[in-house]
Each structure stands twice: as C-alpha cells, then as structure tokens.
Amino acid sequence: MNKAIILAGGQGKRMKADMPKPLFKVLGEPMLEWVISACEDAGVSDICVIKGFMGEMIDEYLGGRCKTALQAERLGTGHAVMQAVPFLKEDESGHTLVLCGDAPFIDSDTIKSALEAHIEQNNAVTVITAELENPHGYGRIIRTATGISGIVEQKDATEEQKAVREVNSGAYWFRTADLVDLLGKLDCNNAQNEYYLTDTLSIAISEGKNAGAFRSENAQIIRGANDRKDLLELNDYARRAVIGKHLINGIGFTCTDGVIIERGVEIGVGTEILPGTIITGKTKIGKGCTLGPNTVIDNCEIGDEVTVNSSQLNESTVENDVVIGPYVHVRPGSCIKSGARIGDFVEIKNSTIGEKTAVSHLVYVGDSDIGKKVNIGSGTATVNYDGVSKNRCVVGDYCFIGCNTNLIAPVKLGKAVYTAAGTTVTGDVPDYALAIERGTMKINEGYTLRKLKATLPEKK
Ligand code: UD1
Ligand code: CA
C-alpha cells in the first residue's frame, strides 16, 4: 500500500510565535491540513507526520488522525525521514510520498501524475520540481543528456548550477523498499553538515537504479512561508483562487474587498457576495442569495433567495426566502424557517423561528421554539437562564407578542396567544388567550409644574 510522510518539524522563528510552522493557517486551515487533504484526495491515507518543534501541538491538532514520529534533533530532511523507518517497514511493498508540511499548495493532481510517471519510469525516486523565476535558496535539479544526475543545494552549488531555474519542490515519490535502503546510505558531508534527503537521488543513480524528475506546471506547489509577510501572501493567493472558482461557477462579486471564503464553502449559482463578507467552515449556501456587506457566516446551511445584511451567523440553518439583518446575531443551534424576517439588533440562540415569523427589532430569543407567522414585538426577551440552568420557551403558531414582553422559561404559549406590551409571562397561556400583567396606570395632574416650582430659586 502507498504511504506518505509529511515533514512538520519546523519552528518558523520569524513568525515570532511558539507554534510549529505547519500549524500556521492559510484561509482558516493549518498549512498541514492543506497537505494532508492533498494526500487524502490523491488516495494516500496511510500518513506519518514527522514532528519536531513543539511536537505535542501537532499531536493535539491531529487527534490521532495520522501516525506521527518525533525528530528530536534537527539534522536535516534526510534525518527527518529516517524517523519514519519503522512506519515504512510496516509495509515496504508500495510507494511512499514525502511532502513538506509547510508548503500548502501541493495538489492531488500533481501527486497522482507524479506517481504515474514514477511507476512508468520504474524509478526508485522521483522528485517533483517546478521552474521558478528566482530559484535562490532551493535545491537545483541537475539534468543530463540521459535524465537527471541529482539535486544540488544552494549552499553547495557552483555558479553554473545556481543558474538552473528548475528546483526541488521538496515533494518526492519513492519506492518504499528503496527509500529504506537509501536512508541508510546518507551522510552529512556537505556545507550544512546535514543529512540531505536530496542525496537519495545521486545515491540511487550510482547504484544503477532509476531516478527521475517530474516537473509540475503549477509552480505554486513550491510556495511556503518563512515569515508573516509570506503567510499573508499565501492567504492572498488562496483567497483569490477560491473566489476565482466561485466566479466560474456563476457567483457574483462586484467588489471582493474584505471577502474571505474558505475552501470548504459551497455556494449556489446566482448568489451575490458583497464586500466584507467572510464565509467559513463547511458552510453551504443556496442559489440567488445576497450576502453582505460585512457579514460573517460560519458552518451554516443557507437556503435559496436568502438575504443576510451586516450580520453574523454561526452553526445554524436558514431556510429559503429568509431576510436577516442588518445587525443580527444568529448563534449556534438555531433554525430560521422559510420566509421568516429577522431585523436589526436581534439575537437568536439555539432556537427555532417558524415559517414567516417576524422578529423585527431589539429582541433576544434563546433556547426557544417559536411557531409560524408569529410576530415578536420590539424589546421582547426570553428569560432562558435563571442563574443555574437554561430552560426553553415555546410560542405557538400565530402568536402576537407585545413589545417588551418577558417570557420566563420554562413557559409555553398556545396557539394565537396575545401578550400585552410590557407583560412578564410567568406561566403557560392557553390557545387564543391574552396574557396581560400590568399595574393600573395613574394620572398625577400638574406634577411637572409643581416639581418645577419647588425647585426654582425664590423670586425677589
Ligand atoms: C529543502 C531541500 C531543497 C528544496 C526545499 C524546498 C534538502 C536538503 N533540501 O531545502 O532541495 O528545494 O526543501 O522547500 O532537503 N525539516 C525537518 N527536519 C529537518 C530539516 C527540515 O523536518 O531536520 C523539514 C522542514 O520543517 C520543512 C522541510 O523539511 O518542512 C524542508 O526543510 P527546509 O529547511 O525548509 O528546506 P531546505 O533544507 O532549505
Ligand atoms: Ca525551505
């Protein structure tokens, strides 16, 4: 079976944060996640991640998803792969992909095409390469009339070799049995006194085995980040690439300023995305929606023809033809049913809002089930928390909740109930009833004038 080894031992000193470099995020996902998903998309799921600097954070992130091995000392890329020899020996029959955990744009097509070439050429090792305008710092691919002779690192290269623009991406396919054998033959006699994984090519060739180079058309596969500026550039590239994909799929953008859409997001045709809109996680959006400006939607399922203006939606479901905003906060566990309207300064948490219900302004609905065609007046609050536990409010279909109603949970309002403005509802209300809880209004005539007179300085 084919395997993969991902090198994730790097520190990233110039990021100036105590975190392994592969955990820095591009478009909301750690770079390591991009690399793992490329492997998995290419059908390679037996993966060993080599950890080093703050390896416990890598373990914590992976949560047992991949195998790991620790490189306790940083003695080079060859030494890093040596830490996976026990993993390789579990099954030496197939091929092993080696990738860098901090080069997020390696893609599954490149991985698959490189494997095809690797097998077809009967190679012990095939390095994946790309051609760069500025190859400085990378290992150069030395080609000969018959094939390649090896890889020379920047620090070991002659002037002539430095002029070569085809470079090592840091990704390779190895025949697993040959990789185990070649790792045992590496030494550190070079400018950096490191065990170079790149030396496996010249060693294989010297032993009469085949070694090849697979040149990727996609030079992005090589990109990594050494500092925050590089990371911002990776984010920018990924952001544009995702928006580019949605443009092809018929999603409208008039201006992409501040628009961030993570790559796991699905959007239906004809939807318009306005500036400042951030859509993350596994969000799924239907057709013909208008989202934004200045809207955040995380892990939601949104139907068709939905409008969300200047609002935040988290881990919730919104059905078709709903209008939300401006300034609405929909918190996790909510479901807004079709045709509902949620207006300004409304917060909804862990609640269901029924079909065609209107919650137009200044309302808190928490832990509640609101029926269909209900009208909730301004200033209404579900009093869902008594300081110890959270309780639910149930409001039946066709209810009319007057302004400034407090619903003290747990409480149940039947069908078509009215509550008078200002009522604090402390018990269940039967179908078709009015709940009113109010003191009698008193009129104190001339009050203002008497008050003024009492406080004015005495006239001379
Ligand atoms: C390496 C290649 C170079 C290639 C470049 C692509 C070698 C000797 N050189 O360069 O040809 O063009 O990658 O980026 O392999 N790592 C460890 N442990 C170590 C050393 C490195 O885990 O002891 C990891 C790094 O965290 C990184 C990857 O290996 O993910 C590449 O290491 P890096 O130092 O960035 O690359 P170079 O050795 O400079
Ligand atoms: Ca590097």
Side-chain angles (χ1 to χ4, degrees):
M1 193 176 50
N2 293 341
K3 297 162 173 283
I5 295 172
I6 301 176
L7 307 186
Q11 176 174 2
K13 275 195 190 111
R14 280 181 279 163
M15 298 286 187
K16 305 206 168 131
D18 276 343
M19 186 160 86
K21 190 158 69 164
L23 292 186
F24 281 89
K25 288 179 180 175
V26 170
L27 224 49
E29 293 169 69
M31 293 192 273
L32 179 61
E33 184 63 49
W34 287 73
V35 178
I36 291 172
S37 65
C39 281
E40 289 175 344
D41 290 350
V44 185
S45 55
D46 190 16
I47 300 171
C48 180
V49 174
I50 310 297
K51 58 200 176 179
F53 177 74
M54 296 192 81
E56 62 286 355
M57 285 186 79
I58 301 274
D59 284 324
E60 196 184 325
Y61 177 74
L62 292 173
R65 227 168 107 206
C66 304
K67 295 165 185 164
T68 64
L70 178 69
Q71 185 193 21
E73 270 181 299
R74 198 179 164 88
L75 302 177
T77 48
H79 180 257
V81 176
M82 285 176 201
Q83 312 312 308
V85 166
F87 164 75
L88 295 172
K89 285 189 168 169
E90 285 167 16
D91 175 6
E92 294 186 45
S93 66
H95 300 274
T96 295
L97 173 69
V98 175
L99 297 173
C100 292
D102 50 11
F105 300 145
I106 185 74
D107 63 281
S108 56
D109 286 343
T110 300
I111 291 171
K112 285 190 276 188
S113 308
L115 177 61
E116 278 169 28
H118 173 73
I119 291 171
E120 195 184 288
Q121 294 163 19
N122 193 27
N123 289 338
V125 44
T126 303
V127 57
I128 300 175
T129 72
E131 203 154 299
L132 298 184
E133 284 295 314
N134 175 12
H136 184 86
Y138 291 96
R140 307 298 204 283
I141 306 300
I142 310 303
R143 289 194 181 261
T144 63
T146 50
I148 70 167
S149 63
I151 303 172
V152 179
E153 292 305 294
Q154 174 81 28
K155 287 185 179 146
D156 303 293
T158 64
E159 285 311 310
E160 194 188 339
Q161 289 168 334
K162 282 179 189 163
V164 172
R165 285 177 36 218
E166 186 184 0
V167 303
N168 171 16
S169 69
Y172 318 75
W173 274 108
F174 289 90
R175 203 186 285 125
T176 303
D178 283 322
L179 176 57
V180 172
D181 178 58
L182 292 165
L183 287 171
K185 292 171 177 159
L186 293 181
D187 63 35
C188 47
N189 299 327
N190 51 55
Q192 302 184 84
N193 295 314
E194 284 184 356
Y195 294 93
Y196 287 173
L197 185 61
T198 47
D199 286 347
T200 52
L201 279 91
S202 51
I203 297 171
I205 293 163
S206 73
E207 294 189 342
K209 292 173 178 163
N210 293 348
F214 175 85
R215 182 161 29 190
S216 168
E217 292 306 318
N218 174 12
Q220 301 298 333
I221 61 162
I222 216 157
R223 289 180 76 168
N226 287 318
D227 55 28
R228 301 274 181 169
K229 184 171 167 285
D230 294 345
L231 194 65
L232 175 61
E233 282 169 11
L234 295 187
N235 272 285
D236 211 41
Y237 173 80
R239 189 181 81 89
R240 284 166 199 280
V242 169
I243 290 173
K245 186 192 77 182
H246 289 300
L247 284 167
I248 291 168
N249 290 346
I251 315 307
F253 297 85
T254 39
C255 168
T256 60
D257 288 358
V259 172
I260 301 173
I261 303 173
E262 290 184 5
R263 66 188 177 130
V265 172
E266 291 173 39
I267 308 180
V269 66
T271 286
E272 289 278 335
I273 311 282
L274 300 174
T277 297
I278 299 174
I279 312 177
T280 55
K282 300 267 170 258
T283 295
K284 247 177 124 165
I285 290 163
K287 298 177 206 160
C289 297
T290 303
L291 308 177
N294 305 323
T295 288
V296 177
I297 303 177
D298 178 51
N299 282 308
C300 288
E301 196 156 322
I302 311 273
D304 298 335
E305 307 287 337
V306 169
T307 300
V308 184
N309 172 14
S310 304
S311 293
Q312 303 228 354
L313 280 58
N314 301 289
E315 295 166 40
S316 291
T317 303
V318 176
E319 294 184 353
N320 298 342
D321 304 306
V322 167
V323 178
I324 293 179
Y327 320 121
V328 168
H329 189 186
V330 178
R331 292 169 53 200
S334 299
C335 174
I336 317 292
K337 301 245 178 206
S338 58
R341 308 179 82 83
I342 316 295
D344 41 288
F345 307 106
V346 170
E347 175 177 339
I348 293 170
K349 185 212 89 173
N350 190 29
S351 295
T352 303
I353 305 295
E355 272 174 43
K356 297 199 173 159
T357 283
V359 190
S360 298
H361 20 238
L362 299 157
V363 168
Y364 172 58
V365 178
D367 303 308
S368 297
D369 299 298
I370 313 294
K372 65 180 175 192
K373 294 195 176 172
V374 170
N375 187 83
I376 299 194
S378 162
T380 293
T382 53
V383 185
N384 59 318
Y385 184 51
D386 60 12
V388 181
S389 57
K390 305 253 167 77
N391 290 294
R392 292 193 85 80
C393 297
V394 178
V395 175
D397 297 342
Y398 308 105
C399 281
F400 185 96
I401 308 298
C403 291
N404 272 315
T405 295
N406 292 314
L407 300 169
I408 313 288
V411 75
K412 188 168 183 228
L413 277 58
K415 212 192 282 178
V417 160
Y418 269 68
T419 69
T423 297
T424 293
V425 181
T426 50
D428 291 356
V429 183
D431 293 351
Y432 310 114
L434 164 72
I436 177 161
E437 182 267 345
R438 242 180 227 171
T440 316
M441 190 175 81
K442 292 180 194 133
I443 302 286
N444 190 340
E445 290 209 30
Y447 170 83
T448 315
L449 295 173
R450 285 196 300 280
K451 188 179 169 75
L452 278 175
K453 217 166 160 187
T455 54
L456 282 176
E458 276 188 43
K459 293 241 167 77
K460 281 174 198 155

